[in-house]
């Protein structure tokens, strides 16, 4: 699609000329084009590396196409990047006669994003065309929104050039898991990890089973599973053993000792990630409350970094609150757990699904 756009853009008689003429001619809101002025607001944010990798990927795509089709070099690399950004920000995934494909749909691609979708769309094989209908009543003059799908804040920011306010469930941050070199089972574990003692997880602030739109390294339960393996000792390792070695995914809480070490390790890692930011979260909250930004790029930078910091603070507080509870007797914990069960939130979910079973079943 991006290659086709480059071609049609230079054809003054193209059937798609009216559509191409209304497309943005530049994407100054995209972090891949940010200069040092905006990058300074993102110091410490994983979005800087994400944007840098995206730019490298686009260059690699362009070079790969040119190797297969040397004539494509008549289009400048940045012209191809423009085409790819058009596709990335406006693309619809469709099923046409049983074939999965991508398409640009003029007019329909002008709808802004809202998490709770207001439209349903598809390719209608009978009508031989794209259809989009609202799924609720719409008042005259009211803006109609589409949903770009559930994504982490970083993907909205780097892929689309905007951020979502109050994106509590999908704000995320990078937490590093490293196998301690003084681990008594270090040699066995590092061998099973193929020499990779470090793993990176980009996770939201919750322990929910909901993994919608999340890859393995973006799901908190997979992160906890990996940390539980890192801190498993002696007989605990037997619980994780399989015919192929050891489980690294879907590892349920093993023991109180293990879970306390997991929480401490995650907390240390979260504090290290937090220390990479030069400004505190309180400053971000102050700036967002005052709302006196130079432009939307400035505001998006602050929104992006504040979401990461809020996530890291959540994991730090999770350890602060959960570790003392793991040390309680079942008699004392019961009263606390009853309240947690009545009021469901992200922390209480961890209490009822992890802490309660561990303390209740301790020998």
């Amino acid at each position: 699609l991006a290659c086709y756009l480059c071609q049609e853009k230079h054809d003054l008689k193209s059937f798609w000329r009216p559509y191409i003429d209304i497309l943005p001619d530049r994407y100054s809101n995209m972090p891949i084009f940010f200069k040092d002025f905006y990058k300074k607001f993102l110091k410490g944010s994983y979005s800087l590396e994400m944007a840098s990798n995206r730019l490298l990927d686009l260059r690699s795509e362009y070079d790969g196409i040119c190797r297969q089709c040397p004539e494509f070099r008549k289009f400048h690399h940045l012209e191809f990047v423009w085409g790819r950004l058009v596709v990335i920000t406006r693309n619809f995934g469709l099923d046409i006669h049983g074939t999965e494909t991508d398409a640009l749909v003029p007019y329909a691609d002008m709808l802004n994003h809202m998490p709770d979708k207001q439209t349903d769309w598809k390719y209608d094989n009978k009508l031989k065309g794209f259809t989009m209908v609202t799924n609720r009543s719409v008042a005259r003059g009211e803006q109609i929104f589409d949903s770009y799908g559930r994504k982490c804040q970083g993907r909205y920011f780097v892929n689309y050039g905007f951020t979502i306010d109050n994106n509590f469930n999908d704000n995320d941050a990078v937490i590093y898991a490293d196998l301690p070199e003084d681990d008594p089972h270090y040699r066995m574990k590092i061998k099973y990890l193929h020499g990779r003692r470090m793993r990176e997880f980009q996770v939201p602030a919750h322990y929910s089973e909901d993994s919608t739109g999340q890859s393995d390294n973006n799901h908190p339960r997979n992160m906890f599973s990996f940390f539980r393996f890192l801190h498993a000792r002696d007989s605990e390792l037997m619980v994780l053993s399989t015919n192929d070695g050891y489980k690294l995914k879907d590892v349920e809480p093993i023991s109180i000792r293990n879970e306390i070490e997991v929480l401490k390790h995650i907390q240390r890692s979260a504090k290290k990630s937090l220390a990479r930011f030069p400004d505190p979260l309180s400053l971000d909250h102050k700036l967002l409350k005052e709302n006196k930004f130079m432009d939307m790029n400035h505001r998006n930078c602050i929104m992006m970094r504040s979401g990461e910091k809020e996530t890291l603070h959540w994991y730090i507080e999770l350890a602060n609150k959960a570790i003392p509870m793991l040390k309680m007797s079942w008699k004392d914990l019961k009263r606390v757990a009853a309240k947690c069960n009545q009021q469901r939130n992200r922390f209480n979910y961890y209490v009822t699904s992890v802490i309660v079973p561990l303390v209740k079943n301790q020998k």
Side-chain angles (χ1 to χ4, degrees):
L1 280 174
C3 295
Y4 187 63
L5 275 172
C6 291
Q7 173 185 297
E8 295 301 297
K9 187 180 181 183
H10 288 273
D11 182 359
L12 298 179
K13 296 182 179 180
S14 170
F15 173 81
W16 300 105
R17 172 56 50 189
Y19 175 62
I20 291 172
D21 284 345
I22 66 168
L23 293 173
D25 57 357
R26 59 194 180 97
Y27 284 88
S28 58
N29 63 315
M30 303 296 277
I32 64 172
F33 295 128
F34 282 2
K35 302 300 182 185
D36 289 343
F37 177 77
Y38 290 119
K39 286 182 178 178
K40 68 185 178 187
F41 299 120
L42 293 169
K43 186 176 181 181
S45 170
Y46 74 77
S47 64
L48 284 175
E49 183 178 359
M50 189 176 177
S52 177
N53 289 340
R54 168 50 60 90
L55 202 55
L56 291 173
D57 288 343
L58 292 175
R59 180 74 213 201
S60 178
E61 287 180 15
Y62 174 79
D63 291 341
I65 292 169
C66 290
R67 281 195 297 272
Q68 297 297 320
C69 181
E71 309 94 86
F72 194 74
R73 289 197 182 277
K74 67 182 179 181
F75 302 114
H76 192 275
H77 158 244
L78 290 179
E79 197 165 15
F80 171 73
V81 170
W82 168 83
R84 284 289 283 118
L85 291 179
V86 169
V87 175
I88 290 169
T89 58
R90 310 175 89 88
N91 175 57
F92 287 89
L94 301 175
D95 182 314
I96 302 179
H97 298 297
T99 300
E100 298 288 336
T101 189
D102 297 318
L104 294 172
V105 185
Y107 192 67
D109 62 9
M110 297 179 72
L111 271 64
N112 286 324
H113 167 75
M114 178 178 282
D116 296 325
K117 68 173 186 173
Q118 299 179 353
T119 59
D120 294 304
W121 46 263
K122 66 177 181 177
Y123 183 87
D124 191 309
N125 291 314
K126 291 182 179 179
L127 296 176
K128 297 182 179 179
F130 179 93
T131 63
M132 175 180 277
V133 297
T134 59
N135 53 30
R136 66 172 183 79
S137 299
V138 180
R140 178 178 293 180
E142 181 183 354
Q143 182 176 179
I144 301 174
F145 292 89
D146 184 27
S147 173
Y148 299 177
R150 181 177 173 184
K151 296 173 176 63
C152 65
Q153 189 79 289
R155 286 185 64 191
Y156 286 130
F157 183 48
V158 174
N159 290 359
Y160 298 97
F162 65 81
T163 55
I164 303 293
D165 287 19
N166 303 318
N167 194 30
F168 302 116
N169 288 331
D170 295 311
N171 278 333
D172 61 357
V174 171
I175 290 181
Y176 296 95
D178 57 307
L179 176 63
E181 293 183 337
D182 61 353
D183 187 287
H185 305 284
Y186 181 84
R187 292 181 64 183
M188 178 275 292
K189 290 180 181 178
I190 199 68
K191 182 179 179 181
Y192 183 65
L193 295 174
H194 305 289
R196 292 179 56 213
R197 60 180 294 265
M198 179 82 73
R199 295 287 172 89
E200 178 182 311
F201 294 90
Q202 184 182 316
V203 291
H206 62 73
Y207 188 76
S208 168
E209 292 180 348
D210 182 6
S211 59
T212 306
Q214 295 172 341
S215 64
D216 285 351
N217 278 11
N218 298 113
H219 197 284
R221 288 197 170 220
N222 287 339
M223 179 183 74
F224 271 83
S225 289
F226 188 77
F227 273 103
R228 285 167 185 153
F229 167 76
L230 293 186
H231 290 281
R233 297 286 184 271
D234 304 321
S235 61
E236 294 173 347
L237 286 166
M238 298 297 294
V239 179
L240 307 181
S241 63
T242 68
N243 293 332
D244 300 320
Y246 294 95
K247 286 200 304 181
L248 297 181
K249 285 176 58 178
D250 303 319
V251 177
E252 295 298 323
I254 300 172
S255 69
I256 291 176
R257 183 209 63 80
N258 179 273
E259 198 69 15
I260 288 175
E261 292 305 313
V262 165
L263 289 167
K264 287 180 178 178
H265 198 160
I266 290 174
Q267 185 182 62
R268 289 195 302 272
S269 182
K271 287 180 177 179
K272 285 182 181 179
S273 292
L274 199 57
R276 295 186 176 94
F277 293 94
D279 299 314
L281 178 59
S282 57
L283 175 62
D284 298 348
H285 286 166
K286 181 174 181 290
L287 292 172
L288 290 168
K289 184 177 181 180
E290 293 174 349
N291 200 29
K292 296 178 181 178
F293 297 102
M294 292 172 284
D295 54 24
M296 282 304 296
N297 285 351
H298 183 202
R299 187 179 191 278
N300 285 335
C301 288
I302 306 304
M303 281 292 299
M304 178 67 215
R305 75 186 196 189
S306 68
E308 291 179 71
K309 294 175 193 175
E310 287 169 0
T311 301
L312 294 168
H313 276 289
W314 188 84
Y315 279 105
I316 291 169
E317 282 304 302
L318 175 68
N320 286 338
K321 294 178 181 178
I323 291 175
M325 295 176 73
L326 283 164
K327 294 179 179 179
M328 288 182 179
S329 66
W330 172 235
K331 180 181 178 181
D332 294 332
L333 181 64
K334 269 197 298 188
R335 290 189 292 271
V336 180
K339 294 179 181 178
C340 292
N341 199 43
Q342 293 170 1
Q343 185 180 0
R344 305 295 283 178
N345 58 38
R346 291 179 290 173
F347 173 71
N348 289 349
Y349 185 87
Y350 180 81
V351 172
T352 56
S353 62
V354 176
I355 298 177
V356 167
L358 282 175
V359 175
K360 187 175 181 180
N361 298 325
Q362 69 177 322
K363 295 179 180 179

